[in-house]
Amino acid sequence: MTVTCSSYDDRVVMGNVGFSKGVHYWEITIDRYDNHPDPAFGVARYDTTKEMMLGKDDKSWSMYIDNNRSWFIHKNVHADRAEGGICVGSVIGVLLDLNRRTLTFFVNDQRQGPIAFKDLQGVFFPAISLNRNVQVTVHSGLELPPDLDTY
């Protein structure tokens, strides 16, 4: 699935299948990016706010990233700034492990910062927020890469 946003305002796109147990991994390839926007990738409750950056409300958890660094965000609290950004061709990995109740992010097969969020419980939908002419392709239903088994 390819997602594009041409608005200057953030827009949230969500998957149509929610997860409440098990280990789930998906990737997002950056198809178009001009180094200015801050796309965000993560998970959300079904009724998250769809007109603001993912992670700004209490129903979404995300990593937002620019061309130099990233942050984790939930309830509009920014944490764990990590160096390393994205460009066209970058691949973001999202690992939702509901057995361990954690959410972890990867950029180009390298973990981006520490485990982003812990103690997750309930039903979560894959989610993305985009703005300012960003285009991404989502690759869902992927097997967990073997080298991520011991993240």
Side-chain angles (χ1 to χ4, degrees), residues 55-129:
K56 286 198 170 186
D57 68 5
D58 64 343
K59 296 177 182 174
S60 59
W61 297 255
S62 76
M63 173 185 72
Y64 72 98
I65 190 165
D66 63 21
N67 61 324
N68 293 312
R69 60 201 154 276
S70 67
W71 296 262
F72 304 138
I73 181 171
H74 173 62
K75 295 183 184 178
N76 205 26
V77 174
H78 308 250
D80 296 308
R81 177 179 151 167
E83 295 302 315
I86 58 170
C87 60
V88 170
S90 294
V91 177
I92 307 297
V94 182
L95 176 61
L96 176 62
D97 185 340
L98 292 169
N99 297 336
R100 295 181 183 173
R101 300 181 354 197
T102 61
L103 182 62
T104 307
F105 297 96
F106 301 85
V107 176
N108 298 324
D109 297 323
Q110 300 296 314
R111 191 164 84 184
Q112 187 77 357
I115 292 174
F117 300 101
K118 299 177 180 177
D119 300 319
L120 298 174
Q121 297 181 54
V123 178
F124 300 92
F125 292 80
I128 299 169
S129 67

